[in-house]
Amino acid sequence: MVLTRAAKASRSKLLRPLTTSLSSTSSSLRRPFSSTTDDQTVLSIETSIPFTGHKVDPPSRIVETTPKELMGFFCDMALMRRMEIAADSLYKAKLIRGFCHLYDGQEAVAVGMEAAITKKDAIITAYRDHCTFLARGGNLLEVFSELMGRTTGCSKGKGGSMHFYKKEQGFFGGHGIVGAQVPLGCGLAFAQKFNKEGTVTFASYGDGAANQGQLFEALNIAALWDLPAILVCENNHYGMGTAEWRAAKSPSYYKRGDYVPGLKVDGMDVLAVKQACKFAKEYALKNGPLILEMDTYRYHGHSMSDPGSTYRTRDEISGVRQERDPIERVRKLILSHELASEKELKDIEKNVRKEVDDAIAKAKESPMPDPSEMFTNIYVKGYGVEAFGPDKKEMRAVLP
Amino acid sequence: MFGIVRRRIGFGASHASILDRCLHGIRPALSTSRCYSTAGKEMTVREALNSALDEEMSADPKVFLMGEEVGEYQGAYKISKGLLEKYGPERVLDTPITEAGFTGIGVGAAYYGLRPVIEFMTFNFSMQAIDHIINSAAKSNYMSAGQISVPIVFRGPNGAAAGVGAQHSQCYAAWYASCPGLKVLAPYSSEDSRGLLKAAIRDPDPVVFLENELLYGESFPVSAEVLDSSFSLPIGKAKIEREGKDVTITAFSKMVGYALKAAEILAKEGISAEVINLRSIRPLDKPTINASVRKTNRLVTVEEGFPQHGVGAEICTSVVTESFGYLDAPVERIAGADVPMPYAANLERMAVPQVEDIVQAAKRACYRSVPIAAAA
């Protein structure tokens, strides 16, 4: 390997502003894109801030990663970012209807979690699910088609933005009722334990959902029965338009489990997220539930009908973008470790843009569901019973 | 006398006249439903449900039971007696009193492929978990275009018991049956209980299984076929408990027994009533109901629950839309009183349909004069 500076067990202090000498380093030290395949060199990188534990010893803030993984983080998050921004435009063009909850700013949580687990582990989340779906193996065409209500969508156009699923890759949706996904996630963990699979479930919820009673009901049962459930509070500090301090008497969500241990994590640092999720998986398999609070931020409003600036200042939003953006953090890491040049990273972003544009074009060509699809999938087994449209004399179907 | 009773009449009571002759000699305490199967074994509804659960848990290791007091207490109504001892605490789970939590956990387990049976101590408490029943269970197969199926059963006593007051007496049949994606079953006899519960557990979709506390202790004859572990009844098919030609009476759960008693009384007055045990509220067996009305031309619907937007309203609509020309009289509807269930015994009796109410409605449908009750 050419990069002697990236030898095993070397430590690098992160997030120093890039010196000009770095950016003009001669290319003789680097081979373009070799980093994207290098998964042997181990980089040990410190997380931005240490973890804070509640009734548990937090993991080390030194995270091991490889050039391939870091480059992968950059590509995945760039794709997610571009996808969400494109969805914004599509919504404004009225090609996406109803609800559209965007995840840009929070990409590190989806990507870091994925890096720590396998497709046999399960993830369930609420309605801000586009990026989690992508991380779990969904593709752009499925995303945009579903958003536009086309038959090539992941739910054949029958679900919409809030109801993406990919069961065979361990993604169980996609849920519209705030907080409902937490008991469901504990149920997934119950099944994993019942089957003795040695896998875990990550049930994500927001700071708004963190006050839901059913969450505590499910957590109580998960703790009683030692279920391998990890509750992930994606704390973006606003439950729709209500700031956390106005909704929660105790906004220390990682402590709200009381008898269930918790960890507070910088959710904008993909390596910290990966470390925390890795730790959580090992912990939950041995000891039962754990809470992870991901300190994160969404740039968009709650949904496309919320400008997002009536309850927070534009300075706050741009401040986070400048100081804590997850993609910028990884970009600086990559550049400081000389895993790729600025141009290479910009090319990746250009390719991502093209990928997204191509997927959108293809999705726009896709047909809407056939009218007969209205009456399919109501039941697995319909017993040949009749179902009706608004006028039963005009529209009826037999359920298979 | 019992020799006559024992003659196998089978489903549908094609020998209604034999039934009439039998019944004249029988003590009033016996319900008519005892007279149609081969004799020998009788079984209470409780035993029927218990044996159905036992057999299905034995047949499929993915089936498990979860609810309050189902394990060590042997079941609040002893429906799950013996199951904890037989299957262990991993398959019979006592939960804390947290319906929203444990119902959500059950639905999540079903997402993953297990086959939970969730017990509500009564369906009144299911309202605390109704979001999971409707939004997480019923709609998932549709919203995911078939990816997430939910093979779950929600069961427990439904409707009025005796003297338990307003918050513990509501019937939820109409509520759940209005929701596409759910199946709603309401057994009456032991045969119904066994066959429908087995069918519900084997069914790949979410099933709401409405039992009745006052029926748990009632005994019904069961044939060898019913006792077989592979027995099950089809979902979506009603049963004609008693054939008749003058008026159709539809009922489900406890009201089937009342309807059968009413039919006996009507028979003495020369009115031959056909009693349909709905068994399945969703899907509702509209073909059977309509075929019967086309034969008798008169309909009385009976239910215990609140009248407005109830099961009878749906049956009436189906008949008016499909068989209007066949009706010789307006549809009569007998339902619970439009009041929260009172406690005092006399008021409670007035709030729930009685046999006399069904008889009167049937007579009205047949245009027989009936003394009008004084208005309150």
Side-chain angles (χ1 to χ4, degrees):
Chain A
M1 183 63 224
V2 170
L3 291 179
T4 52
R5 275 171 52 189
K8 286 189 209 296
S10 73
R11 289 176 180 225
S12 78
K13 292 291 182 265
L14 185 48
L15 285 191
R16 299 272 164 73
L18 289 176
T19 61
T20 48
S21 60
L22 257 176
S23 53
S24 58
T25 306
S26 109
S27 57
S28 61
L29 278 176
R30 289 174 283 116
R31 288 194 200 115
F33 288 110
S34 61
S35 307
T36 52
T37 52
D38 178 5
D39 57 0
Q40 298 307 310
T41 316
V42 175
L43 303 167
S44 296
I45 300 175
E46 205 177 47
T47 61
S48 58
I49 51 168
F51 300 102
T52 324
H54 165 72
K55 298 199 172 162
V56 71
D57 288 326
S60 156
R61 64 187 285 207
I62 310 293
V63 184
E64 288 191 349
T65 182
T66 66
K68 178 179 180 187
E69 187 173 63
L70 272 180
M71 291 301 293
F73 286 163
F74 183 84
C75 294
D76 290 343
M77 291 199 286
L79 186 65
M80 289 174 180
R81 179 68 56 92
R82 189 65 223 140
M83 171 181 81
E84 296 293 74
I85 292 176
D88 175 300
S89 310
L90 286 175
Y91 192 90
K92 287 172 177 151
K94 297 203 195 304
L95 285 160
I96 299 177
R97 306 175 317 116
F99 292 126
C100 189
H101 305 87
L102 299 176
Y103 200 74
D104 52 313
Q106 300 184 211
E107 298 90 349
V109 177
V111 171
M113 187 184 291
E114 202 58 43
I117 61 177
T118 72
K119 294 291 190 281
K120 294 254 183 311
D121 297 304
I123 298 182
I124 192 168
T125 186
Y127 42 75
R128 204 177 297 279
D129 59 346
H130 308 162
C131 298
T132 311
F133 172 77
L134 208 65
R136 285 262 93 181
N139 65 54
L140 288 172
L141 179 64
E142 286 177 311
V143 170
F144 289 115
S145 301
E146 188 60 38
L147 289 174
M148 294 196 273
R150 308 299 170 97
T151 198
T152 38
C154 53
S155 300
K156 302 211 186 114
K158 289 159 83 163
S161 164
M162 300 185 287
H163 304 296
F164 288 11
Y165 305 86
K166 208 164 240 320
K167 186 174 171 181
E168 76 270 13
Q169 309 253 58
F171 181 52
F172 288 86
H175 293 271
I177 306 296
V178 170
Q181 74 276 18
V182 176
L184 294 173
C186 294
L188 296 171
F190 175 91
Q192 289 170 323
K193 184 168 180 183
F194 190 97
N195 290 341
K196 301 185 178 20
E197 289 183 8
T199 52
V200 298
T201 296
F202 286 80
S204 295
Y205 60 98
D207 48 290
N211 302 308
Q212 275 262 319
Q214 58 184 319
L215 191 154
F216 296 96
E217 293 187 15
L219 192 60
N220 176 49
I221 294 179
L224 265 176
W225 298 349
D226 288 315
L227 303 182
I230 297 139
L231 273 60
V232 180
C233 180
E234 294 183 279
N235 182 8
N236 57 27
H237 308 283
Y238 296 93
M240 200 155 136
T242 304
E244 60 185 328
W245 55 270
R246 286 178 63 217
K249 186 71 178 171
S250 164
S252 303
Y253 300 106
Y254 71 110
K255 288 189 189 165
R256 292 281 290 275
D258 184 14
Y259 44 83
V260 170
L263 208 59
K264 186 160 173 170
V265 184
D266 178 0
M268 306 299 256
D269 178 350
V270 65
L271 291 170
V273 173
K274 173 188 155 182
Q275 184 88 318
C277 292
K278 193 156 162 285
F279 172 82
K281 177 171 173 174
E282 280 164 32
Y283 181 93
L285 283 171
K286 280 206 296 281
N287 305 310
L290 183 76
I291 295 183
L292 295 179
E293 181 186 337
M294 303 286 184
D295 184 349
T296 183
Y297 201 83
R298 54 167 162 81
Y299 297 138
H300 268 88
H302 164 73
S303 70
M304 284 305 300
S305 40
D306 170 24
S309 50
T310 56
Y311 47 86
R312 48 185 197 173
T313 62
R314 292 190 198 279
D315 284 343
E316 180 188 293
I317 305 170
S318 53
V320 173
R321 219 188 259 279
Q322 265 162 23
E323 308 282 314
R324 299 179 65 205
D325 185 273
I327 301 178
E328 286 317 300
R329 171 168 284 150
V330 174
R331 188 198 304 270
K332 284 176 190 150
L333 261 178
I334 290 173
L335 291 176
S336 71
H337 285 268
E338 296 178 343
L339 305 179
S341 70
E342 283 224 38
K343 180 179 181 310
E344 281 159 355
L345 293 181
K346 284 224 168 11
D347 283 343
I348 289 175
E349 285 176 305
K350 242 193 280 182
N351 286 336
V352 151
R353 246 194 130 91
K354 183 169 185 313
E355 241 189 283
V356 166
D357 290 342
D358 286 348
I360 291 177
K362 206 152 170 239
K364 280 180 180 168
E365 311 270 299
S366 305
M368 307 211 84
D370 186 85
S372 63
E373 287 291 334
M374 183 150 113
F375 294 102
T376 57
N377 307 126
I378 301 172
Y379 298 107
V380 173
K381 223 169 159 192
Y383 299 109
V385 164
E386 273 193 317
F388 304 104
D391 183 347
K392 70 194 281 190
K393 300 223 185 280
E394 291 297 311
M395 196 193 309
R396 47 210 308 172
V398 173
L399 302 182
Chain B
M1 179 177 70
F2 277 97
I4 300 166
V5 171
R6 272 190 210 154
R7 182 174 318 173
R8 184 183 177 84
I9 293 177
F11 297 108
S14 51
H15 305 268
S17 54
I18 299 172
L19 203 60
D20 291 341
R21 275 187 265 123
C22 290
L23 291 171
H24 281 96
I26 291 175
R27 305 188 312 272
L30 280 178
S31 76
T32 51
S33 56
R34 297 187 188 193
C35 301
Y36 56 71
S37 293
T38 48
K41 194 97 201 306
E42 276 206 351
M43 188 183 240
T44 60
V45 169
R46 180 178 284 115
E47 288 162 350
L49 294 168
N50 181 275
S51 60
L53 277 169
D54 189 350
E55 286 160 23
E56 293 306 304
M57 286 179 74
S58 172
D60 186 346
K62 296 208 288 288
V63 177
F64 68 94
L65 178 64
M66 188 154 79
E68 293 155 14
E69 310 297 358
V70 296
E72 289 187 13
Y73 197 85
Q74 307 297 320
Y77 301 97
K78 305 293 180 264
I79 306 298
S80 53
K81 187 163 177 216
L83 296 180
L84 173 63
E85 196 184 21
K86 188 165 177 187
Y87 296 101
E90 284 177 8
R91 292 184 67 196
V92 180
L93 297 127
D94 282 322
T95 63
I97 309 175
T98 52
E99 275 78 5
F102 70 72
T103 305
I105 287 180
V107 176
Y111 281 4
Y112 205 81
L114 298 186
R115 304 188 82 96
V117 177
I118 304 297
E119 176 172 310
F120 291 115
M121 201 177 280
T122 75
F123 264 91
N124 300 283
F125 315 136
S126 73
M127 290 198 288
Q128 306 211 295
I130 199 168
D131 176 62
H132 281 296
I133 299 174
I134 309 290
N135 280 324
S136 305
K139 299 178 182 170
S140 284
N141 199 56
Y142 192 82
M143 289 192 298
S144 69
Q147 264 190 79
I148 311 275
S149 68
V150 192
I152 193 169
V153 176
F154 303 103
R155 51 160 291 272
N158 175 59
V164 291
Q167 292 180 341
H168 289 76
S169 302
Q170 190 162 334
C171 173
Y172 291 87
W175 282 38
Y176 289 122
S178 73
C179 186
L182 283 183
K183 291 169 182 166
V184 180
L185 302 176
Y188 162 61
S189 61
S190 301
E191 178 179 324
D192 289 355
S193 301
R194 261 184 70 78
L196 292 177
L197 185 54
K198 278 162 159 302
I201 294 174
R202 294 177 200 173
D203 196 272
D205 292 306
V207 181
V208 170
F209 193 82
L210 303 171
E211 300 161 7
N212 186 293
E213 192 206 318
L214 298 175
L215 284 176
Y216 283 155
E218 263 199 50
S219 229
F220 296 85
V222 281
S223 67
E225 188 200 349
V226 172
L227 290 171
D228 188 73
S229 65
S230 64
F231 177 68
S232 84
L233 286 172
I235 291 181
K237 290 275 172 282
K239 178 183 178 190
I240 300 186
E241 293 283 349
R242 178 192 175 119
E243 274 196 13
K245 53 181 182 51
D246 293 332
V247 59
T248 300
I249 306 179
T250 64
F252 63 94
S253 188
K254 191 158 187 316
M255 291 291 120
V256 176
Y258 283 29
L260 288 168
K261 289 196 186 113
E264 284 177 49
I265 295 171
L266 288 165
K268 291 196 198 99
E269 310 210 13
I271 297 177
S272 153
E274 179 149 290
V275 175
I276 301 183
N277 171 3
L278 293 175
R279 282 183 167 173
S280 180
I281 315 296
R282 184 180 183 105
L284 197 55
D285 191 353
K286 294 173 185 177
T288 298
I289 298 167
N290 276 282
S292 173
V293 172
R294 288 179 183 211
K295 182 173 76 168
T296 64
N297 310 122
R298 296 160 205 280
L299 175 62
V300 177
T301 72
V302 183
E303 65 195 293
E304 209 180 44
F306 296 136
Q308 192 163 338
H309 310 298
V311 175
E314 177 62 26
I315 293 176
C316 178
T317 259
S318 169
V319 163
V320 162
T321 328
E322 305 286 325
S323 311
F324 183 70
Y326 292 83
L327 281 170
D328 285 347
V331 174
E332 292 283 342
R333 174 185 50 195
I334 296 297
D338 206 10
V339 301
M341 183 68 67
Y343 168 66
N346 63 328
L347 296 181
E348 188 186 56
R349 194 180 182 284
M350 283 161 58
V352 175
Q354 303 299 328
V355 175
E356 308 86 73
D357 296 315
I358 304 174
V359 169
Q360 277 198 341
K363 281 183 175 166
R364 279 201 305 267
C366 295
Y367 293 128
R368 301 293 184 85
S369 62
V370 166
I372 300 195

